[in-house]
Amino acid sequence: MKTFKAKLFLAFFGVALLILFSTGFALYSFNRFGEVVDNTAEETIPDMIAAMRLAERCASLAAIAPVLAASEGEEELRLTVVSVDRLIEDIRTDMDFFGSGGWAENKIIFKISEDSKIIADSLYRLKDDTLGQLILKERLRSVLTRIRKSHNNLSDTVAPVVYGVSSLTSLFGKRTARRISSSVKKLKKTEQADLEPSVKKTVRLIRKSISKLMKNALKDIGYASDIKAEGNVIFSLLVAAADADEIETLTDIRNRFKHSWSVFRQAVTIFSKSSLAERNPILAGNVSEIDTNITALGKGENNIFAIRSDMIFGSEQLRKRLSE
């Protein structure tokens, strides 16, 4: 009987000991779980959120490059740069957070930090290139405005030149006709003995007068036609140069411009020495001003070919920046 009681007591003691052990282990496990939960809430989750935020900001920083390059004005560019500065500052703040949390030695965090610096440097260079393109676009718009104004001046000036040439040719033709008529009338009063020499003299006079009239008429019509035709060609080429998107195309347009400009200048030089220019100095001054404007637009320091060439080169630079 005593043996049975001892065994029963021993059994109850074992069960009680097992319950105590299980309760202690449960309490220990619960405490450990609490520590894990606290660690997750205090350290892991903030780190995860910061990592997600950092990844999002780095992606936004990389994605903003096309927006920066596509800016249509300096104000739009400025606002985009402000966004870039804000993203860079936020990324720097995130990196400081990881640095203070024991992540400073992590290779991935270090790589992200270095990559973000490279992207930021590229974006600032892209900003400078974009600003340069915007300045060139503004200069191009200014030159195009001058081209349209000068072309209108040419149209307003060509009509008086053509009319003046026509009027002078008609005037000189009438003078020649009167001179010839007067010479013929004199023949009727010439004595028979002196008739033959007088006829020869009159014929020479008529031939010389008609030859001079035709020569001057052809010269005047020639310079008037060249000023009108080549002037219009020149302005068409200047406008076409503004739309050229390749250096080869721009060079071809420039070579055509040089040829037309040479013919135009020769015509202007002939006109400046003509009777029409002597009779109408205001018209001569207008033609000379148009010639000066064309020279500045196509061959001056701020000519459209140089501007467009810089723009094509700048566009290529932007494409290279975006591919980096």
Side-chain angles (χ1 to χ4, degrees):
M1 191 67 177
K2 290 182 178 180
T3 304
F4 174 77
K5 288 182 178 181
K7 289 182 178 180
L8 183 61
F9 177 77
L10 184 62
F12 276 112
F13 178 78
V15 170
L17 186 63
L18 183 61
I19 291 172
L20 288 173
F21 177 77
S22 299
T23 302
F25 182 75
L27 290 173
Y28 173 78
S29 299
F30 184 78
N31 289 333
R32 288 293 300 162
F33 178 74
E35 291 176 1
V36 170
V37 170
D38 291 341
N39 181 69
T40 300
E42 295 177 2
E43 298 182 11
T44 306
I45 291 179
D47 287 351
M48 290 175 60
I49 294 174
M52 293 173 62
R53 189 167 55 236
L54 177 61
E56 180 183 353
R57 286 168 175 168
C58 288
S60 298
L61 189 65
I64 206 171
V67 179
L68 192 67
S71 299
E72 293 294 332
E74 292 189 29
E75 179 62 19
E76 182 180 347
L77 177 65
R78 186 189 67 79
L79 293 175
T80 306
V81 171
V82 169
S83 299
V84 171
D85 291 338
R86 188 181 300 115
L87 280 172
I88 292 173
E89 183 61 30
D90 290 340
I91 290 173
R92 188 178 293 114
T93 301
D94 290 338
M95 299 308 301
D96 291 341
F97 170 80
F98 283 113
S100 63
W103 291 81
E105 302 300 324
N106 189 291
K107 293 182 178 180
I108 296 178
I109 298 300
F110 178 76
K111 188 176 187 307
I112 292 175
S113 176
E114 292 300 310
D115 289 346
S116 63
K117 291 178 182 178
I118 293 173
I119 293 174
D121 291 340
S122 297
L123 287 174
Y124 284 127
R125 288 195 297 270
L126 182 64
K127 182 263 293 185
D128 293 337
D129 292 341
T130 303
L131 179 60
Q133 284 293 90
L134 291 175
I135 293 173
L136 287 173
K137 286 180 180 179
E138 185 60 35
R139 288 173 58 193
L140 183 64
R141 280 193 289 268
S142 176
V143 171
L144 285 173
T145 300
R146 290 166 52 200
I147 289 174
R148 285 191 290 270
K149 182 179 179 181
S150 296
H151 196 185
N152 290 335
N153 290 341
L154 175 69
S155 300
D156 294 338
T157 303
V158 163
V161 170
V162 173
Y163 176 78
V165 167
S166 176
S167 298
L168 278 180
T169 300
S170 176
L171 175 63
F172 292 150
K174 290 177 180 179
R175 286 181 180 178
T176 301
R178 286 197 296 269
R179 190 180 298 113
I180 292 173
S181 177
S182 176
S183 298
V184 171
K185 287 180 180 179
K186 288 180 181 179
L187 286 177
K188 295 179 180 179
K189 300 177 181 180
T190 304
E191 298 293 333
Q192 189 66 32
D194 298 330
L195 185 59
E196 185 176 351
S198 296
V199 169
K200 291 181 178 180
K201 182 179 179 181
T202 301
V203 170
R204 286 196 300 270
L205 177 63
I206 292 173
R207 287 178 177 175
K208 183 178 179 181
S209 298
I210 293 177
S211 176
K212 182 179 180 180
L213 175 65
M214 293 301 298
K215 180 181 179 181
N216 290 335
L218 290 174
K219 182 181 69 174
D220 292 344
I221 293 172
Y223 73 66
S225 298
D226 285 342
I227 288 175
K228 180 179 180 179
E230 297 300 334
N232 286 319
V233 170
I234 284 172
F235 284 111
S236 297
L237 291 171
L238 290 175
V239 173
D243 295 326
D245 54 5
E246 295 180 355
I247 291 296
E248 293 77 9
T249 304
L250 186 65
T251 301
D252 182 54
I253 294 174
R254 190 168 197 169
N255 290 336
R256 294 182 184 182
F257 166 82
K258 288 179 180 179
H259 172 73
S260 294
W261 178 73
S262 177
V263 175
F264 180 84
R265 292 216 71 187
Q266 185 176 3
V268 170
T269 300
I270 296 173
F271 166 76
S272 65
K273 300 175 182 178
S274 67
S275 300
L276 178 59
E278 293 177 359
R279 285 173 166 78
N280 195 335
I282 295 178
L283 183 62
N286 291 339
V287 173
S288 177
E289 182 181 357
I290 292 171
D291 177 41
T292 302
N293 291 338
I294 289 176
T295 302
L297 291 169
K299 298 179 73 68
E301 181 179 352
N302 198 33
N303 70 82
I304 194 168
F305 297 104
I307 294 174
R308 191 56 192 166
S309 177
D310 290 343
M311 290 183 69
I312 293 173
F313 177 76
S315 296
E316 184 62 29
Q317 285 293 104
L318 283 177
R319 282 192 289 269
K320 288 181 180 178
R321 296 284 188 210
L322 289 172
S323 64
E324 290 179 352

